[in-house]
Amino acid sequence: MSTPGDSGSGAPLSIHGERRRRRGGGSGSGEEDCISGLPDALLHEILVRLRSAAAAARTSVLSRRWRRVWAHLPELHLVAPPAAAPTSFPATVDAALGGYLAPTLERLGVSHTTDQHWRNLRISAGRIAPWLRFAAERVVGELNLYLCVPQIFAVSTPEVVDEEAALELPVCQRAKRIQLHLQYAYTTWLRPQASGLLFAALTSLKIDGYVHMQGSDLTALVSMQCPCLRDLDLFITLIAIFDVSIHSNSLHRLMLNVLETRHLEISAPSLEELVISNPPMEAQISAPKLVKVAWDYHYDPHLIRFVVGRRLQLLRTSTQALSLAMQFHRVDDLNLSVNLDFHDAARYGSFLNEANKLPKCKSFCIFLWWGRHALLPVMLHLLRSCNDTKKLQVHLCGSSPQPVMHSCLPSCLCRSEESRKIDGIDLNSLEVAEISGFSGSHEQMELVEFLSNNAGVLKRLLINDEFCSMPKEVREKVRSMCHPNVEVGFFVLRKGRQLGDDRTRVLPLLSKCVYHDRSVALVLSQSHHLRNELLVACDYYVELRGTDEKR
């Protein structure tokens, strides 16, 4: 009996599904399956969707027609199984790259991660170097090398950076995007190839892991060898304390976490976004088009100089860098981390003086570690910068879900009557307020009452009350404080692990849901893609309550 798609000849199928060819009669004619008759470009499209070079190569058993189809794919994804040891995986990669026949490759991805954390699974730099040389010759799109295998560190283990740890980064003249996550040994000394060639097409470069570089090599790579680079993300350590100079007319986004930097010089006339995660000892930064800045650590205006405009779209900083915030007259979105987890009254006074001149902002997001001092005086001081603010987010952080009443000295300024005056605070533009880490303590209720009484156009109040021991009573009290026109919502985060600061990843998504309709729970129930986004991004079960009942 013929099957659908069968020619009706009744010829048997082999165990791999290939119809045995007829060799009789000297005609040389034969029959092939319908898929094998498709053009190469379409077969490549099918096999690329497997996202596995190994799976694509296994199709070679189907017929002679398929034996070399995988060797001409535009993309190769070489992913080690979780149980694969580095002793076997490099040989698999070598074989795949050695059998590849096409002159160019759009994307090369090599990934090895393992859960065998009790073993020391180092890979030698000599095994990886040929893969990079292959990429330099063939890759015309993206190179993604992700090697993350566990290392067994001992206290006595010295960090040695020598020739044995050196890995040369050859010039990839046609590659457009390169990502290198090198965590396959104690230390990798990454050395760009010394040649007159350029990464002529490279627009995006990311390097992180246990990577060391010479300061001079880093300077030459970015400033001299990458003329089209737009996006640079580095998490590396300099081999010795050294200066780094980045001169680029093409850079638009720069993320730097470069340890052991003595002096950092940046000259980037097109730079729009700058993230500094480990500040240098000294810096000179010239970026007239800069609109987004993240600088979370110590900032000394005498040693670090910004030559930028007076207005930003986004500034993320902390109380260690308030002098940086003072350089800007207006910031659309201000994210400020405030750590007051200390008893020292003099230090608290210094904080008040430094936080006197925050820039005006449309959206003000505060991450506050406040347990040692009174909450409301701290917030009143910060809110004096909110005259034009339309949205306020307050994340109450601390080591305890319900911080104890402030334990500073009686002479601390946060206990004075002066600190509770509301002179100079204008919340007439505030429309949305969000509070997370809410336990319903007396001080936190004071904050809610102040906002409800002084924000005349407040439309929405959203509170995360997961730390509240009596949520029903607290919710009723909060609603009684607010004007009937204010939309009040509560949410909790159910989790199987400690929440920590990951709550900051949830609230922006919640805002995306909440502000498109009046009912938070209704929006989430109807917008499954947003619900999934919350679950995937945060690994938590998010439950919103528009009333006291579960939705």
Side-chain angles (χ1 to χ4, degrees), residues 522-533:
L522 178 62
V523 172
L524 273 188
S525 67
Q526 293 179 347
S527 302
H528 297 291
H529 65 288
L530 289 176
R531 183 192 308 215
N532 291 336
E533 186 177 4

Side-chain angles (χ1 to χ4, degrees), residues 375-419:
L375 174 62
L376 187 60
V378 173
M379 287 302 304
L380 293 179
H381 189 74
L382 294 173
L383 290 176
R384 286 189 171 85
S385 300
C386 287
N387 291 351
D388 298 322
T389 301
K390 293 185 176 182
K391 181 178 179 180
L392 173 67
Q393 292 177 295
V394 182
H395 305 284
L396 301 175
C397 312
S399 57
S400 170
Q402 298 188 37
V404 297
M405 184 66 73
H406 46 278
S407 55
C408 55
L409 297 175
S411 59
C412 184
L413 292 174
C414 76
R415 300 197 181 208
S416 67
E417 289 296 325
E418 186 76 17
S419 68

